[in-house]
Amino acid sequence: MTILIALQGWDTGLWVERMRRLLPARPVVTLAEPFDKAAVRYALSWRHPHGSLADLPNLGAIFSLGAGVDHILADPRLPDVPIARVVDPDLTTRMSEYVVLHCLMHLRQQRRWDAQQREKLWDDDDFQPAARELRVGVLGLGELGRDAAHKLQVMGFDVAGWSRSPAKAPFSTFSGQDGLEPFLARTDILVCLLPLTPQTRGILNRDLFAGLARDGRLGGPVLINAGRGGLQVEGDILAALDDGTLKAATLDVFEREPLPSDSGLWTHPRVTVTPHNAAMSAPEAVGALIAGQIAALERGEPLLHQVDRARGY
Ligand code: NDP
Ligand code: OXD
């Protein structure tokens, strides 16, 4: 009943320590050391090296250490066992904090005041719009999109959401390809919380930006992407910023991570870059979620938050 921790880019030691503390009777191993492959029952993955979960004859489940699972499904040698992802209030709350922060930052022009402060410039020529005058559109109405949409509504924004299948919510909802055009046409700030799948790859492109509202109070539409870098076409974002199709962007995720130092996004005056930390998986919270899932599985209960491989999320 060994637990294998297979991570790249995160601190493996933190997760080993957390899982050993939560499940003291179980061996917890990592890819950095020799281990008995036949003993591994559960694998915890964040961007595991492709092929590293193959040849584990008794593997029963894979737990993504993030909400997204594109990093797992991309493995061509992925074993055919159930995959569960993170659905946890700690992570959801972190993401909503990020989304609300950046919507407010664009609403209140915080980048402009920061620049003015550096110049010791006292210049307040505009009458700032109120949140209710801004239409925020949330792409993806899953665990994260719904919570963010709800909290944006509490702040007073005029919120709508878009999903694959029709959704009921206390705000306007749109779905499918037919719903995309009217959704974009009423959107001043576009928040992307979609998963990366073959259907969504590259969706944040020039054509989509051209469909956003042009009559909003910010003087042009704003993009906030905290979903995945593969959803966006970065050349199109830079071109759209430069020709006025987009007014500004906040980006947490990138086509290549870390964002290469020669990317024009780093230095663009109307781009805010954050290092894929909109909603980090805290070992305290996510470790407890996975330990609970393992205990439930072993009591014969179903695995929660399972990924549908055919849908890709
Ligand atoms: P969910 O699976 O709960 O929700 C996904 C949503 O996207 C659903 O509403 C789904 O529609 C919609 N969707 C999927 N495919 C399409 C499509 N082709 N067209 C329209 N809508 C679609 O995911 P979460 O909310 O938990 O997470 C979303 C993503 O956020 C993760 O996959 C991950 O990539 C990213 N993330 C980023 C983090 C960061 O720090 N930057 C942290 C955590 C997550 P439907 O409701 O019809 O199924
Ligand atoms: C996630 C992430 O998917 O951190 O949870 O990106």
Side-chain angles (χ1 to χ4, degrees), residues 38-120:
V40 174
R41 186 71 182 142
Y42 306 108
L44 277 48
S45 161
W46 180 252
R47 297 179 177 162
H48 69 267
H50 289 177
S52 60
L53 306 185
D55 311 321
L56 303 173
N58 296 308
L59 187 66
I62 299 171
F63 294 96
S64 172
L65 290 182
V69 290
D70 48 295
H71 64 107
I72 293 179
L73 298 179
D75 180 351
R77 296 188 60 213
L78 192 66
D80 187 14
V81 298
I83 303 167
R85 66 190 195 91
V86 174
V87 175
D88 185 80
D90 180 84
L91 184 129
T92 302
T93 302
R94 289 166 191 265
M95 181 58 86
S96 293
E97 287 167 3
Y98 183 90
V99 170
V100 172
L101 168 71
H102 287 274
C103 285
L104 287 173
M105 193 189 74
H106 291 291
L107 168 72
R108 302 302 300 258
Q109 306 179 76
Q110 189 56 45
R111 291 283 299 257
R112 176 178 166 192
W113 314 130
D114 290 343
Q116 287 193 188
Q117 184 178 350
R118 283 192 292 274
E119 303 296 322
K120 299 186 179 168

Side-chain angles (χ1 to χ4, degrees), residues 223-282:
L223 169 67
I224 298 175
N225 183 18
R228 278 290 181 269
L231 298 164
Q232 72 200 14
V233 181
E234 289 169 12
D236 286 6
I237 294 176
L238 284 165
L241 287 163
D242 290 341
D243 70 15
T245 306
L246 284 178
K247 169 87 184 298
T250 290
L251 305 173
D252 184 57
V253 286
F254 300 91
E255 288 172 7
R256 270 182 61 203
E257 295 179 6
L259 181 63
S261 60
D262 62 355
S263 168
L265 294 169
W266 277 117
T267 48
H268 197 288
R270 282 176 284 116
V271 175
T272 301
V273 168
T274 54
H276 196 148
N277 63 357
M280 297 186 77
S281 293

Side-chain angles (χ1 to χ4, degrees), residues 67-68 85 91 95 140-145 162-165 193-195 199-200 226-228 252-253 276-279 311 313:
R85 66 190 195 91
L91 184 129
M95 181 58 86
L141 287 180
E143 294 296 330
L144 303 183
W162 182 72
S163 52
R164 194 177 52 88
S165 49
L193 289 174
L194 287 168
Q199 287 70 41
T200 60
R228 278 290 181 269
D252 184 57
V253 286
H276 196 148
N277 63 357
R311 274 187 341 187
Y313 64 98

